[in-house]
């Protein structure tokens, strides 16, 4: 080994030692330099990692949302249209029946058989009946000089005095028939006024406060076809009366209604046709057309046809003496059809009409075919249009 070798070794050793000694001082700066050079790269890598994480999270959210939506749709999707028809304010049933048009005319109700009772006595009226009084066979009609005038049944008016030896006649037979029906008998009912007739007359006079002389003066009895109803009294108690003077107005018991319908509707007004009579309170009663007059022109130049209607039952009119009523005639437009209120009809797409069928709280709009119209009702047919089905209508 030469002498120089240790020196070399020493130099290397020193160099190593120096390097070791110098490293603690120089490393921070180098590391700082390295760190400063690596900082942009680390930030870039971190930013890249953050973007990757965000993309992954977003993708996960999209997938989760899609899965959740798919699950919700699978579990809760309703089996109905997205938009539902709104319920109408009200409903009415579909009805099966006849569609009828009504023709109305104002009329007046009166009693039939109205006539005047004429007096044939001279004196002072001492009693008259009140209106609506019913006078029957053998009863008092009114009184003159405190003596009654009686109602008897017969078709002929009394036109002469009844007395023995009078000429035979139909009026004698009528008198004897009344006496027999009132209980005064023991004679033969015929046209001859006999002694037995005279005896029966005396018994009748005695029982009714009249002089029993067997003679009945003209004016003491009034013949009528049957019982009468007093409409009005033309005189009052205390009034003087003379022969041929009207004292009472009497009627029968049946009502009749007189009306005038437009000439264009006269095809409905035939004798025997059915009609209705609407009373002031709105009640309707059945009637029949009994007469049809000739066409005439009213003061306002309207052409009308006068008709008379007889109620089926006068009992429903009670004792009404006179009143304004409405006569209703009907024209059949359609028989045994389904119909709805006209207000239920809606415009349909493409023209025509539709209705809202309402069932179990749901509304279905269906197109319908219309037929006859009458009195605010329309004939309809179509899918789901059945009797008692309900259709939407406006709220009135």
């Amino acid at each position: 080994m030469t002498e120089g070798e240790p020196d070399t070794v020493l130099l290397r050793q020193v160099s190593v030692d120096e390097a070791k000694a110098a490293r603690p001082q120089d490393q921070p700066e180098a590391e700082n330099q390295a760190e400063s050079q690596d900082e942009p790269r680390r930030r870039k890598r971190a930013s890249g990692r953050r973007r990757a994480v965000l993309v992954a999270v977003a993708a996960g959210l999209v997938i989760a949302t899609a899965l959740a939506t798919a699950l919700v749709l699978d579990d809760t999707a309703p089996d109905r249209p997205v938009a539902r028809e709104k319920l109408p304010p009200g409903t009415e049933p579909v009805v099966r029946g006849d569609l009828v048009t009504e023709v109305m005319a104002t009329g007046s109700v009166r009693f039939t058989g109205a006539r005047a009772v004429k007096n044939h006595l001279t004196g002072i009226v001492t009693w008259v009946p009140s209106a609506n009084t019913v006078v029957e066979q053998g009863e008092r009609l009114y009184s003159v000089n405190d003596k009654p005038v009686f109602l008897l049944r017969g078709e002929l008016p009394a036109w002469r005095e009844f007395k023995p030896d009078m000429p035979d006649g139909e009026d004698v037979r009528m008198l004897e028939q009344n006496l027999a029906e009132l209980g005064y008998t023991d004679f033969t009912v015929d046209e001859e006024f006999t002694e037995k007739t005279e005896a029966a007359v005396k018994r009748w006079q005695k029982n009714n406060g009249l002089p029993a002389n067997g003679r009945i003066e003209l004016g003491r009895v009034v013949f009528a076809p049957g019982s009468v109803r007093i409409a009005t009294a033309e005189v009052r108690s205390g009034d003087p009366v003379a022969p041929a003077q009207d004292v009472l107005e009497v009627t029968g018991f049946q009502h009749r209604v007189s009306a005038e319908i437009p000439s264009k509707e006269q095809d409905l007004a035939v004798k025997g046709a059915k009609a209705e009579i609407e009373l002031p309170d709105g009640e309707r009663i059945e009637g029949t057309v009994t007469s049809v007059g000739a066409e005439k022109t009213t003061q306002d130049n309207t052409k009308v046809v006068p008709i008379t209607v007889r109620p089926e039952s006068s009992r429903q009119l009670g004792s009404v003496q006179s009143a304004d009523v409405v006569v209703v005639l009907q024209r059949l437009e359609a028989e045994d059809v389904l119909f709805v209120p006209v207000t239920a009809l809606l415009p349909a797409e493409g023209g025509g009409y539709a209705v809202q069928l309402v069932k179990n709280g749901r509304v279905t709009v269906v197109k319908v075919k219309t037929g006859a119209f009458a009195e605010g009702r329309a004939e309809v047919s179509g899918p789901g249009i059945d009797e008692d089905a309900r259709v939407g209508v406006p709220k009135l």
Side-chain angles (χ1 to χ4, degrees), residues 103-111 255-262 276-280 305-309 311 317 320-329:
V103 176
M104 298 185 177
T106 301
S108 57
V109 58
R110 298 286 188 274
F111 280 97
H255 290 88
R256 71 175 180 182
V257 177
S258 300
E260 296 176 343
I261 66 168
E276 289 186 323
I277 301 166
E278 185 173 300
L279 304 180
V305 175
I307 65 171
T308 302
V309 178
L317 290 171
V320 175
Q321 294 197 63
S322 63
D324 290 332
V325 295
V326 176
V327 173
V328 183
L329 301 174

Side-chain angles (χ1 to χ4, degrees), residues 23 28 46 91 101 123 129 144 161 164 209-210 251 304-305 335 338 357 388:
R23 189 175 298 163
T91 63
T101 297
V144 175
E161 181 183 25
L210 298 173
T251 71
V304 297
V305 175
E335 187 175 5
L338 294 171
L357 284 177
D388 295 328

